[in-house]
Amino acid sequence: MITKRIIPCLDVRDGRVVKGVNFLGLRDVSGPVELAKYYSDCGADELVFYDITASAEGRALFTGILRDVASTIFIPLTVGGGIRALADFERVLACGADKVSVNSGAIQNPRLIAEAAKRYGDQCVVLSVDAKRVNGTYHVFAKGGREDTGMDALEWIRRGIGDGAGEIVLNSIDTDGVKRGFDLEMLADVCAFADVPVIASGGAGRMEDFVTLFKEIPGVDAGLAASIFHFGEVSISELKDVLAREGINVRRIL
């Protein structure tokens, strides 16, 4: 039985972890290094670090903070934000990242996924997709959810997998920060064809949302969340106890 992963997400702006609703109304949470260490110590399976304004501001990701985070934790680290070329992959990996997440950069340069997969391996390349319903279809949004590309999200994910993306992070803008549960419909539509791990992001509000996610969409490999972990609403260790009792296979600290 495949072990399901629980992944906290650090959205970093100006050196601080922030969180909003539907990608808007960001509020300060904590310092990323302290929060990363806390999650590493309390049983998180992986950690995602997004420099959420790097692409919109047209700059490189802040590597100083990234180095501090990577040196503090002992779990896999995925990093994204401002990844536009192979040189950005190289720089982020050199700072201690295990995987690199691409979003707006791949939209601007569709060859990036294939080039990165060829150089670093599929397992290193994560395609992060910010999707939202527009007139009954899923559209891909860029620049931290600020810009509607008009691209069909399902077709974009198919292309990304075909080009060598080894993992998909599906961020539903419709459910982000709302805390009413993951976007099961959107996830089911992606898992129907995806043959690589799919990480669900956006909407977790309570432990039961993870139980529902893994039971109703068994093809999902991991649940990613931010605010419910950041603000102490859900403990990762308690969440894993609940999932185990529900028959969902998770890694627990003995």
Side-chain angles (χ1 to χ4, degrees), residues 19-247:
K19 187 59 185 135
V21 177
N22 302 129
F23 284 35
L24 301 172
L26 300 177
R27 59 190 265 205
D28 184 84
V29 176
S30 177
V33 178
E34 296 82 3
L35 201 54
K37 183 179 187 306
Y38 167 75
Y39 288 135
S40 180
D41 292 344
C42 74
D45 296 296
E46 297 185 17
L47 188 69
V48 170
F49 177 111
Y50 287 140
D51 185 337
I52 61 171
T53 57
S55 293
E57 295 172 1
R59 59 169 172 79
L61 181 143
F62 291 129
T63 53
I65 296 172
L66 175 56
R67 285 193 186 93
D68 291 340
V69 167
S71 66
T72 301
I73 66 175
F74 300 96
I75 53 177
L77 175 63
T78 298
V79 177
I83 307 296
R84 294 182 291 273
L86 290 183
D88 296 314
F89 271 79
E90 192 72 39
R91 186 167 48 85
V92 167
L93 291 170
C95 290
D98 299 281
K99 294 182 278 189
V100 181
S101 176
V102 293
N103 188 331
S104 296
I107 294 169
Q108 296 165 2
N109 175 17
R111 297 187 305 275
L112 180 59
I113 293 174
E115 292 171 352
K118 182 178 180 180
R119 178 173 295 188
Y120 304 108
D122 294 5
Q123 79 288 341
C124 181
V125 183
V126 178
L127 175 59
S128 179
V129 180
D130 296 331
K132 183 178 181 179
R133 290 168 179 78
V134 178
N135 297 324
T137 61
Y138 306 127
H139 281 204
V140 176
F141 279 67
K143 298 181 180 179
R146 298 172 180 83
E147 179 182 294
D148 183 358
T149 67
M151 296 166 53
D152 182 275
L154 301 182
E155 291 304 316
W156 175 238
I157 292 170
R158 283 192 182 93
R159 175 173 178 171
I161 294 172
D163 285 346
E167 193 166 74
I168 303 296
V169 175
L170 182 62
N171 310 299
S172 172
I173 298 176
D174 293 320
T175 61
D176 177 74
V178 178
K179 298 184 180 181
R180 294 178 183 170
F182 292 97
D183 196 328
L184 301 180
E185 179 186 33
M186 187 184 295
L187 287 161
D189 289 342
V190 171
C191 287
F193 65 84
D195 58 358
V196 300
V198 174
I199 299 173
S201 174
R206 54 182 187 157
M207 295 187 193
E208 289 76 10
D209 292 332
F210 289 88
V211 174
T212 301
L213 169 68
F214 293 131
K215 285 194 170 184
E216 294 200 14
I217 316 291
V220 166
D221 289 76
L224 182 150
S227 59
I228 61 169
F229 297 142
H230 296 344
F231 299 120
E233 298 167 36
V234 170
S235 157
I236 290 177
S237 59
E238 291 178 0
L239 170 59
K240 288 191 170 185
D241 287 341
V242 169
L243 291 172
R245 287 198 297 271
E246 292 288 338

